[in-house]
Amino acid sequence: MLAADPGASIASIAAEAGVDRRTVYRRFACREELLGAIHEARVTAIEQAIEDARLREAPVAVALHRYVENIIAVNRTWPVDLARMLADDSVSARRDMSVREVDAFLQRATDEGLLRPGLPEGWASALLPQLMHLVSRQLPELSPGQAADVVVDTLLNGLGAS
């Protein structure tokens, strides 16, 4: 609901959840506290997705697909305003650690020949999240695994006909 309307009121959030707004206020003192909990849950899910993908030890092609599939599921479960989420310093620091972990993996993927060397620095790191975000929103009918197939194929093979 907050992804569709970031300004949604606590009352409307409570109604959508099927509870009284007082129930929400018993758990969260204010709207910002609710948003903070949502942001924490998303970054925790991202960390778990990275851990489950085994980016350091799994074969790179397997780890890439697993990571993409996991992040697509996170994007669909926790579709939040990232700019707002990253305004929280602790969440931002945890996300930065996750980004560094993925960047190291993408370097490993390049070193092991899965990704083409010589691309502009940070290109794969910038492109991959955009592809995952796009497929998460534009192809909701695909399962996370099917959506990951599209992203990985696009990342590795591009859109060319050759």
Side-chain angles (χ1 to χ4, degrees), residues 1 17 70 122 136 159:
M1 183 173 194
N70 292 346
S136 296
L159 299 175

Side-chain angles (χ1 to χ4, degrees), residues 30-103:
C30 63
R31 177 183 167 70
E32 291 308 310
E33 201 173 294
L34 171 63
L35 288 174
I38 291 168
H39 298 157
E40 283 283 328
R42 178 180 168 91
V43 78
T44 298
I46 290 168
E47 292 165 344
Q48 187 63 52
I50 290 170
E51 184 177 321
D52 288 348
R54 299 178 50 233
L55 298 180
R56 294 178 189 208
E57 62 273 356
V60 290
V62 172
L64 175 63
H65 195 279
R66 191 178 296 149
Y67 167 72
V68 171
E69 185 174 349
N70 292 346
I71 293 298
I72 288 167
V74 170
N75 287 346
R76 289 177 174 171
T77 303
W78 302 103
V80 301
D81 176 352
L82 292 180
R84 216 175 161 149
M85 181 179 112
L86 297 176
D88 179 323
D89 290 339
S90 72
V91 168
S92 183
R94 286 173 60 197
R95 182 180 177 269
D96 288 348
M97 284 179 37
S98 294
V99 167
R100 284 192 296 277
E101 183 84 16
V102 173
D103 286 348

